[in-house]
Amino acid sequence: MLPPFDIFRIDGNGEVLWVKSADDWKSVRAAVQELISASPSDYLIHSHRTQNQLIVKRRPATNRTAKPLIFQIAYDEVLMATRAELLKAHGFEVVSSLGNETAKAALANPRDYLLFIIGHAETSQTRRDMAAWLKSRYPEVPILALNPPYQQQLQPADYNIILDGPEEWLFIVEAAAA
C-alpha cells in the first residue's frame, strides 16, 4: 500500500462514506486512531497507487484469550528477532523462519495463521517465489511484504510497505487482527 490514501467510514448499515485523505502512513494512523476513538465505526483505507484496501475494525471491549498467530519469513537473523519481539510486545504469537526453505519446512504442519510477513533483505525473485508458494497453499491468509525502497510492490502480496520503521507495518498487522 503506497500513498496517497483515502479514509472511508463504514457505517453499521454497510454504507461507505469518504472521511479524509492522507499523504503518508503516519497521517493515516493518526487519523484512524482519532476517528476510532470518536466513532464506533470501522474504517477502510484505500491506496490510490496500488488499489489495495485495508479495513480497520474497532476492537471490541472484551479481552481475547488466544493470541493471533503471525508467521514471518526473514532473511536476516537480527531483523527476524527484532520483528518477533516487537510483534510479541503487541500481543501476537509469532513463528519465525530464516529463508524460504526453512519456512516451507515449518509450514508443513498447518496452523491457523492470521498473516504472513515476508522480510525485505533478499532478492525480489526469492521473495516473489515465497509469496507465490504461500498463496498456493494458504490462499485465504493475507501476505504483508516489507519492501526495500527500490521495490515498491511484491506480487502476489496483499499488502506492500516500503520498510522505514515498524509504525506502518505494525499498523497493518494490528488492523488485520482487529
Side-chain angles (χ1 to χ4, degrees):
M1 294 185 74
L2 301 170
F5 303 102
D6 275 330
I7 302 169
F8 298 87
R9 183 177 70 233
I10 304 171
D11 285 341
N13 62 2
E15 187 176 3
V16 179
L17 303 166
W18 180 85
V19 177
K20 65 183 346 181
S21 295
D23 292 327
D24 57 39
W25 272 108
K26 186 176 182 178
S27 300
V28 167
R29 185 179 187 143
V32 169
Q33 287 174 338
E34 181 181 321
L35 289 165
I36 283 179
S37 67
S39 170
S41 300
D42 295 340
Y43 291 88
L44 181 136
I45 301 166
H46 174 79
S47 167
H48 287 278
R49 287 178 55 194
T50 64
Q51 301 304 311
N52 288 63
Q53 296 182 342
L54 175 67
I55 295 178
V56 180
K57 296 182 180 248
R58 184 179 171 102
R59 290 189 181 194
T62 60
N63 288 341
R64 200 181 350 197
T65 56
K67 293 181 178 182
L69 181 59
I70 309 278
F71 191 99
Q72 75 158 322
I73 300 97
Y75 304 100
D76 177 286
E77 282 186 71
V78 173
L79 292 173
M80 179 176 71
T82 302
R83 275 196 298 267
E85 288 304 313
L86 205 59
L87 288 163
K88 288 175 187 175
H90 280 83
F92 297 97
E93 184 181 341
V94 183
V95 176
S96 300
S97 68
L98 190 61
N100 289 3
E101 295 311 312
T102 306
K104 290 175 183 177
L107 290 165
N109 298 322
R111 293 181 63 190
D112 190 18
Y113 296 106
L114 170 74
L115 181 74
F116 292 113
I117 298 175
I118 297 178
H120 76 288
E122 185 53 84
T123 66
S124 60
Q125 186 60 49
T126 299
R127 298 168 68 245
R128 192 176 309 118
D129 290 347
M130 189 70 229
W133 187 90
L134 289 169
K135 277 295 178 193
S136 70
R137 284 164 180 76
Y138 295 89
E140 71 288 348
V141 180
I143 299 170
L144 168 61
L146 306 176
N147 298 319
Y150 56 85
Q151 182 187 3
Q152 296 184 350
Q153 294 273 3
L154 178 71
Q155 296 297 333
D158 299 288
Y159 305 110
N160 284 274
I161 291 289
I162 296 173
L163 193 58
D164 186 27
E167 294 83 16
E168 292 87 2
W169 65 263
L170 269 175
F171 182 70
I172 290 179
V173 172
E174 290 170 348

